[in-house]
């Protein structure tokens, strides 16, 4: 399973490094079958005119779609279909919000996710242990967690584990 949207802090110096790691991970995984109806058409719609497009591997004869990263999306244009159309295929969109200040980023990223990103099934936050224990950052993180309107919110963990276990609380 691939996430739909990665929201990064605007100006974060390690963004390219993170995306290189994501790409390397995807290069090590064979393409998956595009089994949702209309997935190939959605992939085409969401990659057409993409500001920055990285495709990994080839489409297979067995109805697979190559892994794809669409980056450079402008969050000031929330009408972009990549924020409102669920890909249901091997496509990850990337945008930047706010700044590298964790308080500003958390506030703006959670507001953007709530107001402009379609779907509320789950969200995941990557939080460095230093940020989690920082007395200046922790209240902003707690606020973001309270304000995110998603069925499952995970920190440094795949949120779909809730479905696998079937007993954790929802919402």
């Amino acid at each position: 399973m691939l996430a739909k949207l990665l929201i990064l802090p605007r100006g974060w110096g390690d963004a390219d490094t993170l995306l290189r790691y994501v790409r390397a991970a995807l290069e090590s995984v064979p393409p998956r079958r595009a089994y949702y109806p209309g997935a190939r058409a959605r992939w085409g719609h969401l990659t057409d005119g993409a500001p920055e497009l990285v495709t990994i591997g080839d489409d297979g004869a067995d109805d697979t779609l190559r892994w794809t990263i669409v980056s450079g999306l402008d969050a000031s244009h929330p009408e972009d279909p990549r924020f409102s159309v669920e890909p249901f295929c091997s496509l990850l969109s990337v945008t930047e919000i706010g700044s590298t200040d964790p308080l500003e980023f958390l506030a703006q990223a959670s507001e953007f996710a709530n107001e402009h990103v379609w779907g509320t099934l789950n969200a995941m936050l990557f939080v460095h242990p230093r940020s989690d224990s920082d007395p200046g950052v922790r209240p902003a993180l707690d606020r973001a967690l309270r304000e995110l309107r998603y069925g499952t919110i995970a920190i440094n963990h795949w949120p779909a584990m809730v479905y696998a276990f079937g007993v954790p609380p929802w919402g």
Side-chain angles (χ1 to χ4, degrees), residues 9-17 100:
R10 185 179 316 283
W12 182 47
D14 289 326
D16 289 339
T17 300
T100 57

Side-chain angles (χ1 to χ4, degrees), residues 102-103 106-107 110 114 125 127 131-149 153 155:
L103 306 181
L106 284 165
S110 58
N114 283 338
L125 285 79
V127 181
S131 296
D132 190 33
S133 61
D134 183 316
V137 175
R138 186 60 205 208
L141 176 59
D142 289 343
R143 185 171 34 263
L145 292 171
R146 280 192 311 275
E147 292 175 359
L148 281 168
R149 298 187 303 257
I153 302 168
I155 298 176

Side-chain angles (χ1 to χ4, degrees), residues 30-35 40 58-67 90:
R32 299 218 174 122
R33 185 173 166 268
Y35 56 88
R40 188 170 297 282
D58 296 315
D59 294 340
D62 60 348
D63 206 24
T64 59
L65 282 170
R66 67 192 110 175
W67 297 110
S90 53

Side-chain angles (χ1 to χ4, degrees), residues 62-126:
D62 60 348
D63 206 24
T64 59
L65 282 170
R66 67 192 110 175
W67 297 110
T68 305
I69 302 170
V70 176
S71 54
L73 300 180
D74 187 347
S76 69
H77 295 287
E79 71 281 357
D80 188 311
R82 294 163 193 97
F83 300 130
S84 60
V85 174
E86 175 69 56
F88 288 113
C89 63
S90 53
L91 187 140
L92 173 66
S93 295
V94 183
T95 193
E96 296 181 347
I97 300 279
S99 73
T100 57
D101 175 82
L103 306 181
E104 179 183 344
F105 172 71
L106 284 165
Q108 290 187 18
S110 58
E111 187 273 335
F112 183 80
N114 283 338
E115 302 302 325
H116 302 295
V117 177
W118 183 89
T120 59
L121 192 57
N122 61 56
M124 179 177 141
L125 285 79
F126 290 103

